């Protein structure tokens, strides 16, 4: 798609925001091991999901001229070597176990921090990036050959059957101190990529009935005249489609609803704008071009409005059923660009007009809340002080999918994706 034909600001804005978002992965990383900070703060640990997004972004950086291929190869190889060689076992201070990795790792040592969980979905996001790297670095020199070997080995090591813990669906994770977490990936959520990768495994594949069990927990709703599989936070409709082009391909559930996940994400995007236009709770700033409710930092928990409103800190915010406290996230709107450019581009221009990019090293602020007055009088009100890796990646990657289908085309040839989709019952379209 040619963004420049619609509005003179579009193309320049897209290039600028994409480049700035990408630079997070250059600057907020340890080049020795490839780990990427969860947040751009000095004490932040690494997020394995942010690493997966970084690995997916380096090829985009090469194609767009943000970094050269040699630098991208070096960074990618350092990352894959680290994950392959890091301590792997049931010990509580390891990096991973059974092919899965702890959610947060020390930036220097790569060991587990905060007694966090061995995260199945964050490992899936990491492995999606690993596989993207293996697909992109296809030259015959030794470094790129090693990238491909390590990418394949890391994917093969994940024991998806173990992660089921005897059930049909997949658990959220595991801790060495207490075992498996009580929650499972059920109900429509960001785990679509997890099930596809699990089903596609050549070593420990999930059985097809695992996916069927997940589909059975969906919630189909009609809201504001729109019909869709509902999930309130917008990121749920965006994370899996970063890597998978869902246009025209359908599983059994979508066949029965005469829809697909791309269209579902489009409906979810429009639903967010519908909600902002209606603005049932009367938050300041909400409107046709100012929307984006998702998981984000917020001004709480101590901040209170003059009318007694409650504000939250970090929360998985959702629309239209909440929770919502007036906090909006520009990245949430931007990551829907491929689904509904006709409403996302005007929102981007509005955020630019609000000066949400001024003084920010990585593009727009992560989140803001106009309902809480800013000390400096800015119209955007409260502003999040941090940038977050899992916010920056979707911006850079979904802008690229909108501009060129780059990552979607790359992943179409990855056996883990195509096999997983077919085993899940997907058919039609490019598949």
């Amino acid at each position: 798609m040619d963004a420049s034909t619609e509005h003179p600001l579009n193309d320049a804005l897209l290039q600028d925001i994409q480049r700035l978002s990408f630079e997070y992965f250059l600057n907020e990383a340890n080049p020795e091991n490839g780990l990427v900070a969860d947040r751009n703060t000095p004490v932040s640990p690494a997020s394995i999901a942010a690493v997966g997004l970084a690995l997916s972004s380096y090829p985009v950086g090469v194609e767009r001229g943000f970094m050269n291929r040699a630098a991208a190869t070096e960074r990618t190889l350092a990352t894959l070597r680290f994950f392959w060689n890091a301590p792997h076992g049931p010990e509580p201070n390891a990096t991973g176990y059974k092919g899965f990795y702890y959610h947060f790792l020390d930036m220097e040592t790569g060991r587990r921090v905060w007694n966090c969980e061995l995260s199945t979905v964050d490992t899936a996001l990491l492995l999606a990036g690993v596989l993207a790297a293996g697909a992109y670095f296809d030259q015959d020199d030794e470094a790129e050959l090693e990238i491909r070997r390590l990418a394949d080995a890391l994917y093969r090591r994940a024991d998806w059957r173990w992660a089921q813990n005897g059930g049909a669906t997949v658990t959220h994770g595991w801790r060495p101190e207490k075992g498996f977490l009580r929650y499972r990936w059920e109900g429509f959520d960001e785990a679509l990529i997890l099930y596809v990768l699990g089903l596609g495994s050549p070593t420990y594949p999930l059985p097809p009935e695992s996916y069927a069990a997940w589909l059975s927990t969906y919630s189909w709703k009609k809201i504001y005249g729109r019909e869709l599989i509902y999930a309130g936070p917008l990121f749920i409709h965006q994370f899996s489609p970063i890597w998978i082009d869902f246009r025209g391909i359908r599983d059994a559930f979508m066949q029965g609803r005469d829809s697909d996940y791309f269209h579902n994400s489009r409906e979810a995007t429009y639903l967010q704008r519908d909600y902002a236009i209606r603005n049932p709770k009367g938050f300041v700033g909400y409107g046709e071009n100012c929307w984006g409710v998702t998981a984000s930092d917020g001004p709480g928990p101590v901040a209170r409005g003059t009318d007694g409103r409650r504000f939250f800190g970090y929360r998985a915010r959702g629309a239209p059923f909440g929770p919502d406290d007036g906090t909006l996230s520009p990245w949430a709107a931007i990551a829907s660009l491929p689904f509904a450019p006709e409403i996302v581009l005007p929102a981007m221009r509005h955020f630019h007009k609000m000066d949400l990019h001024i003084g920010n090293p990585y593009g727009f602020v992560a989140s803001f809340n106009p309902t809480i007055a800013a000390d400096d009088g800015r119209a955007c009100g409260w502003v999040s002080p941090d940038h977050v890796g899992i916010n920056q990646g979707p911006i850079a990657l979904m802008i690229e999918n909108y501009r060129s289908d780059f990552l979607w085309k790359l992943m179409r040839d990855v056996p883990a994706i195509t096999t997983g989709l077919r085993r899940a019952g997907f058919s039609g379209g490019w598949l």
Side-chain angles (χ1 to χ4, degrees), residues 56-366:
S56 306
S57 297
Y58 298 144
V60 172
V62 174
E63 295 298 309
R64 286 289 169 186
F66 302 154
M67 71 188 305
N68 62 51
R69 191 178 185 103
T73 301
E74 182 180 10
R75 179 70 67 86
T76 299
L77 191 51
T79 309
L80 301 191
R81 283 173 174 168
F82 164 76
F83 279 98
W84 182 249
N85 295 317
H88 208 80
E91 299 78 17
N93 67 338
T95 297
Y97 181 48
K98 296 286 187 179
F100 296 90
Y101 296 91
Y102 288 102
H103 195 161
F104 299 107
L105 304 173
D106 184 273
M107 283 289 293
E108 300 301 323
T109 67
R111 302 291 186 115
R112 176 196 189 202
V113 298
W114 296 343
N115 290 324
C116 66
E117 83 285 7
L118 195 79
S119 174
T120 51
V121 76
D122 289 279
T123 296
L125 300 178
L126 169 64
L127 291 177
V130 166
L131 292 168
Y136 180 74
F137 292 100
D138 58 357
Q139 295 182 1
D140 290 333
D141 63 87
E142 184 53 40
E144 297 200 13
L145 283 167
E146 186 178 356
I147 286 174
R148 296 198 293 278
R149 287 195 298 266
L150 288 171
D152 183 61
L154 286 163
Y155 176 55
R156 286 173 175 269
R157 186 160 66 174
D159 190 342
W160 303 94
R161 295 172 182 171
W162 171 80
Q164 290 179 271
N165 189 30
T169 52
V170 176
T171 63
H172 278 201
W174 177 89
R175 283 191 175 93
E177 296 85 4
K178 295 184 178 180
F180 285 98
L181 305 184
R182 59 181 290 194
Y183 298 106
R184 291 178 170 272
W185 291 110
E186 296 175 348
F188 183 64
D189 48 45
E190 65 270 32
L192 180 51
I193 185 72
L194 177 153
Y195 281 101
V196 170
L197 293 182
L199 287 160
S201 171
T203 47
Y204 308 103
L206 293 174
E209 53 263 34
S210 178
Y211 190 76
W214 186 55
L215 290 184
S216 72
T217 63
Y218 277 12
S219 177
W220 183 265
K221 292 183 180 294
K222 186 173 184 179
I223 309 167
Y224 302 155
R226 303 186 184 279
E227 295 188 49
L228 76 164
I229 308 170
Y230 177 74
L234 197 48
F235 83 92
I236 287 176
H237 300 277
Q238 299 164 336
F239 268 37
S240 296
I242 289 172
W243 292 277
I244 303 175
D245 180 3
F246 285 107
R247 291 174 296 184
I249 65 172
R250 299 177 174 184
D251 60 12
F253 187 94
M254 284 301 189
Q255 288 170 8
R257 299 290 181 173
D258 193 27
S259 185
D260 59 45
Y261 290 100
F262 182 92
H263 180 74
N264 200 79
S265 295
R266 177 177 170 84
E267 289 293 284
T269 301
Y270 264 92
L271 185 63
Q272 288 255 341
R273 191 184 71 152
D274 293 344
Y275 172 74
I277 292 171
R278 285 169 171 78
N279 194 13
K281 296 184 178 181
F283 290 120
V284 175
Y286 280 33
E288 180 181 18
N289 295 325
C290 197
W291 47 271
V293 181
T294 195
S296 68
D297 288 332
V302 296
R304 295 291 186 272
T306 56
D307 56 359
R309 291 183 191 267
R310 181 185 175 193
F311 297 94
F312 310 115
Y314 187 87
R315 182 68 69 93
R317 294 165 169 81
F321 303 130
D324 180 25
D325 63 353
T327 301
L328 298 175
S329 300
W331 76 270
I334 299 168
S336 280
L337 184 60
F339 311 128
E342 67 280 5
I343 65 172
V344 172
L345 288 167
M348 289 184 68
R349 295 195 297 270
H350 180 77
F351 296 144
H352 184 267
K353 186 177 179 180
M354 291 180 69
D355 294 334
L356 292 177
H357 60 295
I358 301 298
N360 289 283
Y362 303 123
F364 293 126
V365 299

Side-chain angles (χ1 to χ4, degrees), residues 9-29:
L9 181 60
N10 286 354
D11 197 52
L13 186 56
L14 286 173
Q15 290 190 58
D16 188 49
I17 295 300
Q18 184 182 31
R19 177 182 56 81
L20 291 172
S21 296
F22 173 81
E23 286 183 359
Y24 184 96
F25 299 118
L26 296 184
N27 300 334
E28 306 299 334

